[in-house]
C-alpha cells in the first residue's frame, strides 16, 4: 500500500502537521516513479483535475494551479520597470514559464530544473501548465539551479525560484544562494522565491529577511495569496529587490494595457497581496524593508 493513499475511499491525505491535513478525493493513479531526487506522483482527482505530488506533498492541481503560477510570475514582472531577461529555477510543471512567456517584451526566459522526470510527467498529465515547454523562447536546462546560477553575472532582470519547500531544494533558502542570485541580477534586479505559510511557519520568515539583507538586497518582504490545494490554503512568496519597490514604483497601467489574460492576478491583487495582517506587522518589525 502506498503511503498516504487509502484505496478503499480513494482519498489522498497530505499531512500538514501532526494535527491537521488536506484530503482530496482521487479516482486513479496516473504516474508514480522515483527519480534520483524524489518520488513523483500524479493522481486523477474528482474535483481538482490531475494533481502533482512530490515526496508525498501536494505541489499543484490543474483546477487552481493558475493562482500560484500567476502570482509568482506577474508580481515581479510588473514590479520591474522593464524586464527583459528572466531566470526560472525549478518550476518543472511549466506553469511559471507559461505565465512569464505571456509578456511580449521578454528577450529570453532561461529555466533550470534539476529533475527531468517532473517535466516528463507534467508534459503527459499536466497539459495546461506544460504547454510552456513547446515555446521556442524557453531555454530549458536540466540542471541544479544553485550551481547553474553561478555561471552568470549581471545577466537577469528577474530570478523566480519556483521550488518546493522540501529536499532537494534546501540550498535555495540559504544565504549563499541569495548572494549568488544578487550577483546574477542586473542593477534593478528582483528575486522572488516560493516560501512558507505565515501561521504555521512564521519563525522561518524573519531569518530569511536577514539573509536577504546580508546578501546585498535593498528591499525585502513577503506577499501572500490563497490557493486551496496548496496546503494549508494561504501561502507566501519572498520578494527582494536591488531597487524597484512593488508598490511605490508599480504602474498599474502596464497591467491594464498588457493584453495578457489573467484569471487571478490584476492590479488590485498586486497591491493587496503585500498588505500585512496585524500579527505579521508585530512579528517582523524593522526586518521588513518594503
Amino acid at each position: 500500500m502506498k503511503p498516504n493513499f487509502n484505496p478503499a475511499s480513494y482519498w489522498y491525505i497530505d499531512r500538514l502537521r501532526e494535527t491537521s491535513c488536506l484530503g482530496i478525493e482521487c479516482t486513479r493513479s496516473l504516474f508514480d516513479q522515483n527519480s534520483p531526487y524524489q518520488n513523483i506522483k500524479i493522481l486523477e482527482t474528482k474535483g481538482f483535475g490531475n494533481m502533482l505530488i512530490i515526496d508525498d506533498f501536494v505541489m499543484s492541481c490543474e483546477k487552481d494551479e493558475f493562482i500560484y503560477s500567476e502570482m509568482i510570475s506577474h508580481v515581479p514582472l510588473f514590479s520591474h520597470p522593464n524586464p527583459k531577461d528572466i531566470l526560472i529555477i525549478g518550476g518543472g510543471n511549466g506553469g511559471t514559464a507559461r505565465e512569464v512567456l505571456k509578456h511580449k517584451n521578454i528577450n529570453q526566459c532561461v529555466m533550470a530544473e534539476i529533475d527531468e522526470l517532473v517535466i516528463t510527467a507534467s508534459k503527459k498529465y499536466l497539459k495546461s501548465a506544460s504547454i510552456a515547454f513547446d515555446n521556442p523562447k524557453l531555454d530549458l536546462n536540466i540542471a541544479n539551479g544553485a550551481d547553474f546560477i553561478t555561471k552568470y553575472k549581471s545577466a537577469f532582470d528577474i530570478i523566480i525560484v519556483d521550488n518546493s519547500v522540501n529536499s532537494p531544494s534546501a540550498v535555495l533558502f540559504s544565504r549563499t544562494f541569495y548572494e549568488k542570485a544578487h550577483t546574477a541580477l542586473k542593477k534593478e534586479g528582483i528575486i522572488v522565491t516560493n516560501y512558507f505559510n505565515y501561521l504555521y511557519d512564521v519563525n522561518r520568515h524573519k531569518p530569511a529577511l536577514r539573509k536577504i539583507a546580508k546578501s546585498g538586497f535593498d528591499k525585502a518582504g513577503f506577499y501572500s495569496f490563497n490557493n486551496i490545494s496548496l496546503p494549508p490554503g494561504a501561502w507566501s512568496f519572498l520578494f527582494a529587490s536591488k531597487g524597484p519597490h512593488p508598490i511605490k514604483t508599480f504602474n498599474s497601467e502596464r497591467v491594464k494595457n498588457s493584453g495578457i489574460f489573467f484569471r487571478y492576478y490584476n492590479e488590485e491583487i498586486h497591491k493587496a497581496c503585500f498588505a500585512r495582517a496585524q500579527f505579521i506587522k508585530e512579528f517582523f518589525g524593522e526586518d521588513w524593508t518594503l
Side-chain angles (χ1 to χ4, degrees):
M1 183 184 298
K2 294 182 175 63
N4 290 338
F5 189 72
N6 184 342
S9 63
Y10 298 97
W11 282 82
Y12 183 84
I13 305 301
D14 185 341
R15 290 202 171 275
L16 312 178
R17 296 295 186 276
E18 290 298 319
T19 56
S20 60
C21 64
L22 169 73
I24 295 181
E25 191 171 6
C26 302
T27 52
R28 59 176 174 150
S29 174
L30 300 173
F31 187 93
D32 189 345
Q33 292 186 30
N34 292 318
S35 76
Y37 307 101
Q38 54 206 356
N39 174 259
I40 301 154
K41 295 183 180 73
I42 296 182
L43 302 182
E44 180 184 78
T45 77
K46 279 196 171 181
F48 286 87
N50 293 345
M51 175 171 65
L52 173 65
I53 300 162
I54 294 181
D55 282 345
D56 296 325
F57 289 92
V58 175
M59 294 291 110
S60 68
C61 291
E62 287 182 308
K63 185 178 181 66
D64 60 358
E65 161 271 319
F66 69 92
I67 300 175
Y68 175 98
S69 298
E70 289 187 12
M71 290 301 287
I72 199 172
S73 305
H74 299 305
V75 170
L77 280 158
F78 283 110
S79 296
H80 193 282
N82 189 24
K84 296 289 186 182
D85 302 301
I86 315 299
L87 171 63
I88 300 169
I89 294 177
N93 71 342
T96 298
R98 179 197 63 210
E99 296 304 317
V100 168
L101 290 165
K102 289 179 179 178
H103 290 252
K104 296 181 176 62
N105 60 323
I106 297 299
N107 283 339
Q108 65 168 336
C109 179
V110 180
M111 179 174 168
E113 165 59 55
I114 193 171
D115 198 337
E116 189 172 14
L117 192 59
V118 176
I119 296 172
T120 300
S122 298
K123 283 182 176 180
K124 188 169 183 180
Y125 296 110
L126 303 173
K127 300 287 189 183
S128 61
S130 62
I131 58 172
F133 297 122
D134 296 325
N135 193 315
K137 291 185 73 174
L138 180 65
D139 178 7
L140 176 61
N141 301 266
I142 306 303
N144 182 321
D147 296 331
F148 185 82
I149 201 172
T150 60
K151 300 191 299 182
Y152 296 95
K153 183 176 181 180
S154 301
F156 300 105
D157 298 299
I158 296 172
I159 296 173
I160 300 173
V161 186
D162 182 2
N163 57 312
S164 71
V165 294
N166 311 306
S167 180
S169 298
V171 66
L172 301 178
F173 296 99
S174 68
R175 177 180 169 183
T176 300
F177 173 75
Y178 296 142
E179 289 172 346
K180 292 176 182 177
H182 189 275
T183 299
L185 285 166
K186 298 179 188 178
K187 185 178 180 181
E188 295 186 291
I190 293 171
I191 182 172
V192 164
T193 179
N194 179 25
Y195 221 70
F196 296 87
N197 171 269
Y198 287 129
L199 286 172
Y200 282 113
D201 303 300
V202 72
N203 288 324
R204 296 176 183 257
H205 288 70
K206 189 177 284 189
L209 293 181
R210 291 173 178 167
K211 290 176 191 175
I212 281 286
K214 290 177 180 178
S215 302
F217 290 92
D218 299 324
K219 301 175 180 67
F222 293 90
Y223 64 97
S224 57
F225 66 102
N226 298 309
N227 207 148
I228 191 169
S229 67
L230 186 64
W235 208 251
S236 68
F237 291 126
L238 172 61
F239 180 106
S241 164
K242 287 185 173 183
H245 192 287
I247 301 299
K248 294 177 182 177
T249 58
F250 171 63
N251 181 358
S252 61
E253 292 302 312
R254 281 182 57 209
V255 179
K256 295 176 183 177
N257 298 327
S258 67
I260 298 174
F261 172 73
F262 307 108
R263 297 181 64 197
Y264 184 87
Y265 175 85
N266 56 37
E267 60 271 21
E268 290 89 358
I269 289 289
H270 183 107
K271 297 173 184 176
C273 70
F274 285 93
R276 291 177 286 160
Q278 190 59 32
F279 81 92
I280 297 173
K281 286 185 176 182
E282 293 171 358
F283 180 83
F284 283 106
E286 298 301 319
D287 290 304
W288 191 294
T289 58
L290 285 175

